[in-house]
Amino acid sequence: MESVWVLLLLTCIFAESFASPRGLIFNLENGELCLQSAQCKSNCCHRKSGLSLARCADKAAENQECSRKHLYGVYYRCPCENGLTCKADWTIVGSITNSDFGICQDPAEKK
Amino acid sequence: MLAFWSLALLLNSVATGKEVCYDRLGCFTDNVPYSGTTERPISKLPWTPEKINTRFLLYTKKNPNNFQEITAVNPETIGYSNFDTNKTTRFITHGFVDDGEENWLSDMCRRMFTVEDVNCICIDWSSGSRCPYTQAANNIRVVGAEVAYFINVLVEDYGYSLSKVHFIGHSLGAHVAAELGRRVPGIKRITGLDPAQPYFEGTPNEIKLDRTDAEFVDVIHTDSAPTIPYMGFGIRQAVGHLDFYPNGGEYMPGCKRNALSQIVDIDGIWEGTRDFVACNHLRSYKYYSDSILYPDGFLGYPCAAYNLFETGCFPCPTSGCPKMGHYADQYKDQITSSSGFMKLYLNTADAKDFARWRYKLSVTLSGKSSVRGYINIALYGTGGNTKQHQIFQGKLQPGSTHTVFTDLEINPGTVTKVKFLWNNNIINPTLPKLGAAKITVQDGEDGNVYNFCGSDTVREDVLQTLTPC
């Protein structure tokens, strides 16, 4: 009985993955599982910690925490929205461990 | 098809007319309208109260994590428990195949304890809900009778007042209110969280939840597409004093994820599997649960239909918008007996927290050249700042005005400034500049209008700040 359910579930998953015109690999909505930011509509593939799964999420708004754009493609803090810069210090350890966090700021704003 | 139904009806006209009687609860028949109608072709009698085993699980501020099981059959269990007769009691009831010990019921209780001190009773009738749908749809009559019996004991033995009773039911559980409302008239409030559609849509009021079952009935519709062929589980028709249709009431945002992303949910595989089966249907209690924490985040705008709401029905009338969910009863005094069904529309987010604040934004462009691209706007106010919301996409013509309604993820409060940004994704060597000459922001809740002006223009992907004018 158990195996029947598992089989049914898997069939559903495969059936949907081939039938679906929406994103399974690209053009993913927020909340969908991703491996790379390029897959997401929002262009940010986000995960909370090194062990958690990554999902597409909105980019960071002004005054929110952010990461600089980098080549890993998966972020602990999303990069900033257009027009904003992520004010973060660049460190060697941070760039390796993907933890150069900062705050999104508008470069035009005079401090 | 017609032959099938007429045969089914014929068979049932023979089968109906039976009756079962149970101690304490009285008799239940399968006569019309309970069976033998086009809405309810298969006739079933409700199971015995022992088999359905309706349990009352009490949570209070003193025991928010572990329930105390109380029963009206042995009323002393109520006396020994943390039940406080001076406080409001909220009953929460699950639906088909679900379980009263499922997390969402006790989570809702704990949310309530953060804003109020109440007796929160989760009703478990899982033994009667895990059976064929036609059977479960009749078992709820016994559940309704059990709840009525429980409330009657409270009234008789403890002098409890019906004006302190609030009954919340999800799916089939919402129709428990029909039997309850008939046996105990005058309950203060009943909330239907996406009441079930099959076997109830279009049936007489004695079977289904309706506005006569309590002094105030509010309903949230989240899965009201027809069951055949769209597999919508929730009732379409308006049945309460206030009927909320968030996101139009048929398809909820965040419920169209690919199967893997839906099942492997942030809240775990079990929650994800539930959403995979009935995501839209289950959204109703998630919205209710969030509404406890965001009193102003779920305003329902009175409107004739969802497509009209998308382009108008804004802002709230001077009497205010009813609040979907927990605080809907604040609007109770403004409902007159003569007013018809009130349909209310709103949009929610695609994941928790679901609260949204609706604003009307209008932008007048300035500049010299027109380009194709999109416009983003972010609001800055006393409550913080929003992310950038896309207002328009297409040809950006200087002098033109674009107006949209946007549902913001935070409540910006009093808006103090606005930022404008435009972008086109094609490299343009002429480096065009565009700006916003004027941006008007209107708050949906109280209709406040804020005007912002800008004099300069900006290059692509550069933020322009507009100040009040």
Side-chain angles (χ1 to χ4, degrees):
Chain A
M1 194 60 200
E2 295 269 292
S3 57
V4 173
W5 280 113
V6 172
L7 199 69
L8 193 71
L9 197 69
L10 286 175
T11 320
C12 287
I13 293 170
F14 283 120
E16 203 190 348
S17 62
F18 291 119
S20 157
R22 290 171 295 105
L24 185 72
I25 292 167
F26 285 105
N27 227 4
L28 297 180
E29 299 280 350
N30 282 355
E32 296 195 297
L33 295 168
C34 53
L35 296 168
Q36 257 294 326
S37 286
Q39 294 179 281
C40 300
K41 271 185 184 169
S42 64
N43 276 320
C44 174
C45 186
H46 169 259
R47 63 176 174 185
K48 284 196 181 106
S49 69
L51 290 172
S52 60
L53 294 165
R55 294 164 199 276
C56 296
D58 275 328
K59 283 192 170 178
E62 192 168 346
N63 301 322
Q64 287 183 341
E65 273 197 293
C66 54
S67 313
R68 291 156 163 246
K69 284 196 179 168
H70 57 64
L71 293 172
Y72 285 105
V74 182
Y75 295 92
Y76 295 115
R77 310 274 190 284
C78 282
C80 300
E81 293 179 320
N82 290 351
L84 299 167
T85 45
C86 190
K87 263 268 198 286
D89 288 331
W90 188 89
T91 61
I92 290 169
V93 177
S95 66
I96 292 167
T97 59
N98 193 357
S99 61
D100 277 338
F101 302 141
I103 303 284
C104 291
Q105 286 178 359
D106 182 356
E109 203 112 324
K110 289 175 185 68
K111 290 284 160 193
Chain B
M1 195 64 196
L2 189 70
F4 168 77
W5 282 113
S6 29
L7 186 68
L9 276 175
L10 189 75
L11 287 174
N12 269 287
S13 57
V14 179
T16 56
K18 291 197 294 285
E19 191 178 60
V20 281
C21 294
Y22 303 123
D23 294 346
R24 297 188 289 118
L25 305 179
C27 298
F28 302 87
T29 71
D30 62 355
N31 285 331
V32 176
Y34 291 104
S35 290
T37 61
T38 35
E39 291 88 11
R40 304 185 141 221
I42 299 165
S43 87
K44 287 273 163 57
L45 285 165
W47 284 349
T48 64
E50 292 73 34
K51 196 171 177 189
I52 292 168
N53 189 24
T54 311
R55 296 157 70 219
F56 294 84
L57 316 175
L58 172 72
Y59 294 87
T60 65
K61 259 192 162 166
K62 287 180 194 149
N63 58 315
N65 298 315
N66 300 305
F67 62 78
Q68 293 176 322
E69 192 168 339
I70 52 180
T71 165
V73 182
N74 299 312
E76 63 273 15
T77 55
I78 301 172
Y80 294 142
S81 73
N82 290 336
F83 188 90
D84 188 336
T85 49
N86 296 319
K87 287 169 190 154
T88 301
T89 302
R90 301 193 198 273
F91 293 91
I92 308 176
T93 318
H94 63 85
F96 186 46
V97 203
D98 214 351
D99 183 343
E101 293 185 44
E102 192 60 54
N103 286 334
W104 71 265
L105 297 109
S106 54
D107 284 348
M108 199 183 276
C109 290
R110 281 189 286 276
R111 287 252 172 121
M112 286 172 186
F113 298 148
T114 63
V115 296
E116 60 192 6
D117 194 356
V118 292
N119 306 305
C120 191
I121 299 180
C122 302
I123 300 171
D124 173 60
W125 57 285
S126 50
S127 312
S129 75
R130 292 178 174 170
C131 57
Y133 183 79
T134 50
Q135 183 64 56
N138 279 298
N139 288 345
I140 61 166
R141 296 159 65 190
V142 165
V143 179
E146 289 271 22
V147 180
Y149 183 79
F150 187 90
I151 292 172
N152 278 333
V153 167
L154 286 182
V155 171
E156 282 159 23
D157 292 12
Y158 295 89
Y160 200 70
S161 162
L162 289 181
S163 64
K164 287 184 189 155
V165 176
H166 178 198
F167 180 88
I168 303 167
H170 173 245
S171 185
L172 268 184
H175 295 299
V176 167
E179 190 75 24
L180 171 65
R182 193 169 71 246
R183 288 175 180 240
V184 190
I187 291 172
K188 175 132 176 267
R189 181 180 174 195
I190 290 172
T191 301
L193 303 175
D194 212 31
Q197 179 181 136
Y199 269 52
F200 296 97
E201 176 102 34
T203 58
N205 284 347
E206 55 191 299
I207 298 180
K208 68 171 193 292
L209 168 70
D210 77 291
R211 60 199 310 193
T212 60
D213 291 326
E215 286 180 7
F216 178 72
V217 177
D218 59 309
V219 185
I220 302 177
H221 300 263
T222 57
D223 195 16
S224 61
T227 310
I228 302 165
Y230 301 110
M231 288 299 283
F233 300 132
I235 203 162
R236 287 177 77 74
Q237 60 190 130
V239 289
H241 294 100
L242 298 179
D243 281 81
F244 295 89
Y245 294 83
N247 310 300
E250 295 190 352
Y251 301 103
M252 298 300 114
C255 285
K256 283 219 148 177
R257 293 186 182 149
N258 57 55
L260 186 65
S261 301
Q262 192 89 67
I263 292 170
V264 186
D265 189 79
I266 288 179
D267 296 323
I269 301 280
W270 174 235
E271 200 54 41
T273 308
R274 286 166 62 90
D275 274 347
F276 179 66
V277 177
C279 181
N280 294 317
H281 194 42
L282 304 184
R283 276 286 195 265
S284 55
Y285 67 69
K286 296 182 183 180
Y287 296 158
Y288 188 96
S289 207
D290 270 7
S291 77
I292 298 169
L293 303 181
Y294 296 96
D296 58 349
F298 295 91
L299 298 183
Y301 293 79
C303 205
Y306 186 61
N307 58 352
L308 299 173
F309 164 76
E310 283 174 312
T311 54
C313 296
F314 186 89
C316 288
T318 45
S319 56
C321 283
K323 296 164 179 171
M324 181 174 84
H326 198 58
Y327 303 97
D329 57 345
Q330 289 177 3
Y331 198 78
K332 188 184 172 194
D333 300 334
Q334 296 183 41
I335 293 162
T336 53
S337 53
S338 60
S339 62
F341 292 106
M342 202 164 171
K343 290 194 173 186
L344 301 144
Y345 293 90
L346 65 151
N347 285 331
T348 66
D350 60 348
K352 65 180 183 188
D353 300 325
F354 291 102
R356 284 283 153 108
W357 288 266
R358 194 162 178 84
Y359 276 71
K360 182 183 184 179
L361 308 174
S362 113
V363 189
T364 306
L365 295 173
S366 64
K368 289 198 179 69
S369 49
S370 69
V371 288
R372 296 193 71 82
Y374 62 84
I375 308 170
N376 282 352
I377 283 180
L379 303 187
Y380 294 71
T382 49
N385 64 291
T386 70
K387 68 182 179 103
Q388 294 174 13
H389 289 266
Q390 191 171 317
I391 299 303
F392 177 77
Q393 186 166 23
K395 194 172 187 193
L396 309 178
Q397 182 90 43
S400 64
T401 302
H402 303 285
T403 304
V404 290
F405 298 97
T406 311
D407 298 287
L408 305 176
E409 71 283 6
I410 62 153
N411 183 358
T414 305
V415 184
T416 51
K417 65 178 176 182
V418 178
K419 289 193 183 181
F420 167 91
L421 176 139
W422 71 277
N423 191 336
N424 69 344
N425 291 320
I426 309 152
I427 296 162
N428 189 334
T430 63
L431 305 177
K433 283 181 141 190
L434 266 177
K438 188 177 179 187
I439 293 179
T440 309
V441 176
Q442 190 177 15
D443 174 3
E445 186 171 5
D446 38 28
N448 287 338
V449 178
Y450 307 92
N451 286 307
F452 300 92
C453 295
S455 48
D456 53 341
T457 54
V458 287
R459 289 257 301 272
E460 179 180 10
D461 259 354
V462 175
L463 284 163
Q464 179 197 5
T465 305
L466 289 90
T467 49
C469 63

